Amino acid sequence: MKLTSYSFLIPFLLSLSGTLFAQDVARVLDQAYGLDQTLCNGKKYLYLAPAGTRQNQYLVSPDYIPGNVTVKGKIYPDLTLNYDIFNQQLLLKYNDGTGIPKILEVSKAWLTTFSLGSRKFEFLNIENNPRFFQVLGDGPARVLYFWRKTIDLESTVGVVNYYFSHAIREPYVLKDGQLSPFRSKRSFIRIFPPEHKTEIRDYLRKNKVKIRKAGDKAMADLVNYICTLN
């Protein structure tokens, strides 16, 4: 998202740095350059991990990739996004008129869905616990993944450093408005009506689907198939 430069604004905005918060400066710039305020109503992303921390706070990597966002029912395509799963923030990167990249936290107030590459996510309030979920399937039952990371301490030769864990995936099935966790083939099958047990097992065997290791497409196809069973 590239914006026309208005260089005369820069000295003025710099003069305000002592009286405005960082997010207020960002808001003034956005208004001047004509960004959609429904999309850009979040605050500036300021999170910094402790110095020397290994790994990163993102779902995949620090690289921002193409994606879409839906806010207040409006789809914003061709954005540059990343997902900080440690802080549970969707991040929007763009260049303002200064030529310096800016990163904003997309506000959760009106955010409903977003995509990162081929992955689709929704912001869902289930059981009074609003969270981002990766969503697989498009039927009345869907597979949801909640992604998170932890940060821990490690000590080597008297030096103490922090490190982020690998991305941790918590799998669920969303069915009839209820979240049901699963970890294995047995716990997955148990979520669905007993009369469908044989058909689900046959599908898993025929399509060589391993619940713990299955890719996104395999799980989406599986749950879509289950939704067709009568």
Side-chain angles (χ1 to χ4, degrees), residues 69-196:
V69 172
T70 303
V71 180
K72 294 187 75 173
K74 180 178 179 180
I75 299 174
Y76 296 85
D78 304 321
L79 302 176
T80 305
L81 305 172
N82 209 338
Y83 179 18
D84 174 349
I85 61 172
F86 177 70
N87 294 292
Q88 292 297 308
Q89 294 290 346
L90 175 62
L91 307 177
L92 167 66
K93 181 179 183 179
Y94 64 93
N95 293 324
D96 63 19
T98 68
I100 300 174
K102 290 175 58 179
I103 300 175
L104 296 180
E105 298 175 0
V106 179
S107 172
K108 299 182 181 77
W110 299 312
L111 174 63
T112 52
T113 70
F114 70 92
S115 67
L116 280 175
S118 61
R119 291 177 169 176
K120 298 180 180 179
F121 296 81
E122 293 186 19
F123 187 62
L124 300 172
N125 186 0
I126 304 172
E127 300 170 355
N128 295 317
N129 186 15
R131 291 184 287 172
F132 289 119
F133 291 94
Q134 183 184 355
V135 178
L136 304 173
D138 51 20
R142 297 184 294 172
V143 170
L144 304 185
Y145 293 151
F146 174 69
W147 292 95
R148 62 183 179 87
K149 282 188 176 182
T150 61
I151 190 168
D152 299 294
L153 285 170
E154 63 177 358
S155 179
T156 56
V157 195
V159 178
V160 176
N161 288 314
Y162 289 94
Y163 68 95
F164 285 104
S165 69
H166 295 295
I168 300 167
R169 187 184 73 179
E170 297 181 5
Y172 300 89
V173 169
L174 177 62
K175 180 175 173 289
D176 299 326
Q178 300 294 317
L179 272 183
S180 299
F182 65 91
R183 298 291 179 188
S184 62
K185 179 176 74 173
R186 179 177 298 179
S187 59
F188 178 83
I189 293 175
R190 197 162 47 230
I191 294 170
F192 300 97
E195 59 268 25
H196 298 324

